[in-house]
Amino acid sequence: MSDPSPPSRERRIVVLISGSGTNLQALIDAQNTPALPSSRISLVLSNRKAAYGLTRAAQANPPIPTAYLGLQPYLKANPGKTRDDYDVEVARIVARENPDLVVLAGWMHIMGDGFLDVVNGDRPYDGEQRVQKPIPVINLHPALPGAFDGAHAIERAYEAFQKGEIKHSGVMVHRVVKEVDRGQPVLVREVEILPGEPLEAFEERLHQVEWKLIVEGTRKVLDEAAPSSSPVSS
């Protein structure tokens, strides 16, 4: 009789949020299911204390550990520290989790070089300690590659459609690099804008796509970084 396959190692995910956490909820619902096998969200970190996503994490079954670190409170509590120091501190919290992947799911703070230098292993996070191998970081952005980088992408795309400048918008999951929303796309989906459609209706349809794509993108990058022994579902 052949030996059974060894159990796959659990893949650890850290999710960074700023708001209500609907994209986080999609990941919570998918963790350790066929959509996202052998995986667990080990930490949810928010830069806003009142972010409802922290409540979603705490109410998950089992509860997911949470952390909060706001830029302005950090700077006020640490005179002489800079925004770069804050980004390094965020990276330090992440690195201590030893995750296989970091997912920015509605994280409304542009990461500086300090964060990426730590997760890429180019800068120590505890004394001389560095991450053993680069930690992939992905972001969900409600626009197509090269279009509407930065904030308010949904509203800007909708306005551009009304002016006849574009025919559709979309959603992408992309790798995080030092240029905002310019990292290599992992997955891209087009989302149609219907003539006469209110902004709210377009936004709701786009969010439905986001919830699926963030899970699919997370699965794809995890399988590249830390494969699961579970078969890939179609």
Side-chain angles (χ1 to χ4, degrees), residues 148 156-168:
F148 310 109
R156 289 156 57 206
Y158 182 81
E159 183 179 342
F161 174 80
Q162 306 308 318
K163 293 178 179 178
E165 297 171 355
I166 61 172
K167 295 185 181 299
H168 56 257

Side-chain angles (χ1 to χ4, degrees), residues 43-58:
L43 179 70
V44 172
L45 170 65
S46 175
N47 65 338
R48 294 181 180 171
K49 196 171 188 178
Y52 186 68
L54 294 173
T55 301
R56 292 179 187 272

Side-chain angles (χ1 to χ4, degrees), residues 209-222:
V209 175
E210 284 185 321
W211 300 334
K212 294 179 181 178
L213 204 68
I214 195 169
V215 173
E216 293 174 14
T218 296
R219 169 73 183 269
K220 188 172 188 290
V221 176
L222 272 179

Side-chain angles (χ1 to χ4, degrees), residues 4-219:
S5 298
S8 59
R9 183 178 68 82
E10 180 180 73
R11 289 98 59 89
R12 295 165 61 86
I13 306 166
V14 171
V15 183
L16 273 55
I17 64 164
S18 296
S20 65
T22 55
N23 293 307
L24 166 66
Q25 188 66 57
L27 291 170
I28 291 173
D29 294 341
Q31 64 178 342
N32 211 26
T33 72
L36 211 54
S38 306
S39 62
R40 177 173 65 88
I41 301 171
S42 64
L43 179 70
V44 172
L45 170 65
S46 175
N47 65 338
R48 294 181 180 171
K49 196 171 188 178
Y52 186 68
L54 294 173
T55 301
R56 292 179 187 272
Q59 292 179 347
N61 184 21
I64 299 168
T66 63
Y68 158 71
L69 187 68
L71 173 60
Q72 293 307 322
Y74 172 83
L75 295 177
K76 186 175 181 180
N78 296 276
K81 295 286 188 180
T82 65
R83 185 186 177 107
D84 184 69
D85 293 318
Y86 169 82
D87 289 346
V88 170
E89 185 61 31
V90 171
R92 182 175 290 125
I93 295 170
V94 167
R96 285 171 179 161
E97 285 296 309
N98 191 29
D100 296 289
L101 177 65
V102 179
V103 181
L104 309 187
W107 173 257
M108 302 302 292
H109 170 83
I110 296 174
M111 292 296 198
D113 293 356
F115 175 85
L116 291 172
D117 287 346
V118 169
V119 298
N120 288 334
D122 298 329
R123 186 169 177 173
Y125 66 91
D126 273 333
E128 294 301 312
Q129 188 171 0
R130 300 172 186 259
V131 298
Q132 294 183 352
K133 65 177 182 177
I135 304 167
V137 184
I138 60 174
N139 179 51
L140 179 72
H141 185 60
L144 296 174
F148 310 109
D149 298 341
H152 309 296
I154 297 174
E155 294 86 349
R156 289 156 57 206
Y158 182 81
E159 183 179 342
F161 174 80
Q162 306 308 318
K163 293 178 179 178
E165 297 171 355
I166 61 172
K167 295 185 181 299
H168 56 257
S169 188
V171 177
M172 69 170 169
V173 173
H174 66 92
R175 294 183 180 273
V176 173
V177 297
K178 294 181 181 181
E179 296 76 32
V180 177
D181 296 327
R182 288 299 171 123
Q184 176 189 3
V186 175
L187 289 174
V188 178
R189 293 284 187 279
E190 290 185 357
V191 180
E192 186 181 11
I193 306 175
L194 304 176
E197 178 180 39
L199 171 61
E200 293 76 17
F202 166 61
E203 190 169 12
E204 178 58 32
R205 286 194 303 104
L206 188 139
H207 287 325
Q208 298 281 343
V209 175
E210 284 185 321
W211 300 334
K212 294 179 181 178
L213 204 68
I214 195 169
V215 173
E216 293 174 14
T218 296
R219 169 73 183 269

